[in-house]
Amino acid sequence: NAGVTQTPKFRILKIGQSMTLQCTQDMNHNYMYWYRQDPGMGLKLIYYSVGAGITDKGEVPNGYNVSRSTTEDFPLRLELAAPSQTSVYFCASSYSPDRGPYEQYFGPGTRLTVT
Amino acid sequence: QQPVQSPQAVILREGEDAVINCSSSKALYSVHWYRQKHGEAPVFLMILLKGGEQKGHEKISASFNEKKQQSSLYLTASQLSYSGTYFCGTEFSSGSARQLTFGSGTQLTVLP
């Protein structure tokens, strides 16, 4: 299993440009998440999904959009990039069949710079 | 409400012990602990549930005080490989979609 994969690894955007960060997992996990991590800080939840076709906002959703048409893929769209979106973006997934404990598996991250 | 972690940083020698604390202003359903090495993704260590159930790492232990809304991570006989930033993630209610709110991290450095 490849686990959670993210592309690209690095990207530089100009202010106002748009891009899509790709995330794919091959573990048949129902839950998927997008986080951003600013230097020296913790992880902030952007959006999450509890299954194909179902998404919801996290703590910092402004300036981003997501979709989940399949179990495996959860792309994150940045519209009109701003310098404040410079960050490392992590995708994660987990399997949560019931109210039991779960762990999140993280992808390697995408380092985005907006100039 | 972001949980508060303490200390922010700790330096110790190989073989020494360390305790990392995580406290919340809201009632917790569970506490999750992750370790992140520089330039890498966070890696799961442990989950502590309300009611005392624990699942996780063999050589790292933790406690969860539900009344005080606190969790502590105990690193005993530290190894060089324990170096990294430790994050607690808190889950606030049983009705949530299993969202975690992460603390800002504790940077642990283990020296030879």
Side-chain angles (χ1 to χ4, degrees):
Chain A
N1 285 354
V4 180
T5 57
Q6 292 183 237
T7 56
K9 285 188 169 54
F10 304 92
R11 183 72 187 268
I12 298 175
L13 281 183
K14 293 191 184 302
I15 294 171
Q17 287 185 323
S18 300
M19 75 165 294
T20 299
L21 281 65
Q22 301 292 343
C23 175
T24 300
Q25 54 94 4
D26 63 358
M27 297 174 283
N28 201 31
H29 285 174
N30 51 346
Y31 281 70
M32 295 188 75
Y33 307 84
W34 273 106
Y35 295 93
R36 59 175 287 172
Q37 185 176 35
D38 298 332
M41 303 298 287
L43 298 150
K44 301 282 189 187
L45 182 64
I46 305 171
Y47 271 95
Y48 66 96
S49 169
V50 302
I54 306 170
T55 63
D56 207 346
K57 296 177 181 178
E59 187 182 353
V60 289
N62 291 344
Y64 307 95
N65 274 301
V66 294
S67 60
R68 186 143 178 229
S69 55
T70 66
T71 299
E72 295 78 21
D73 300 307
F74 190 41
L76 178 72
R77 178 83 177 159
L78 276 74
E79 305 282 1
L80 299 175
S84 60
Q85 292 178 306
T86 294
S87 191
V88 179
Y89 291 82
F90 288 102
C91 179
S93 71
S94 69
Y95 178 60
S96 305
D98 55 26
R99 203 58 196 93
Y102 69 102
E103 63 180 275
Q104 294 187 16
Y105 295 80
F106 285 81
T110 294
R111 188 174 298 272
L112 176 69
T113 302
V114 182
T115 62
Chain B
Q1 284 82 344
Q2 186 180 29
V4 177
Q5 287 187 235
S6 62
Q8 288 186 319
V10 59
I11 299 174
L12 50 150
R13 296 269 178 200
E14 211 172 356
E16 292 181 339
D17 301 338
V19 180
I20 300 172
N21 300 302
C22 174
S23 64
S24 171
S25 59
K26 290 177 67 173
L28 300 175
Y29 177 78
S30 69
V31 179
H32 303 229
W33 287 96
Y34 286 79
R35 177 171 62 208
Q36 184 178 31
K37 293 187 180 284
H38 184 69
E40 298 181 6
V43 174
F44 168 78
L45 293 176
M46 179 164 291
I47 291 173
L48 300 106
L49 292 179
K50 196 173 177 179
E53 184 179 356
Q54 294 186 27
K55 292 197 174 187
H57 205 279
E58 287 181 358
K59 295 186 179 180
I60 296 173
S61 62
S63 64
F64 180 19
N65 187 323
E66 297 163 31
K67 281 189 177 179
K68 291 187 177 179
Q69 295 159 191
Q70 291 176 346
S71 176
S72 295
L73 188 71
Y74 304 98
L75 302 158
T76 56
S78 296
Q79 304 171 16
L80 295 175
S81 61
Y82 286 8
S83 291
T85 303
Y86 289 76
F87 294 97
C88 68
T90 51
E91 186 181 4
F92 291 131
S93 74
S94 61
S96 74
R98 302 175 191 184
Q99 299 178 57
L100 294 181
T101 303
F102 284 92
S104 56
T106 295
Q107 189 170 353
L108 179 78
T109 304
V110 181
L111 301 175

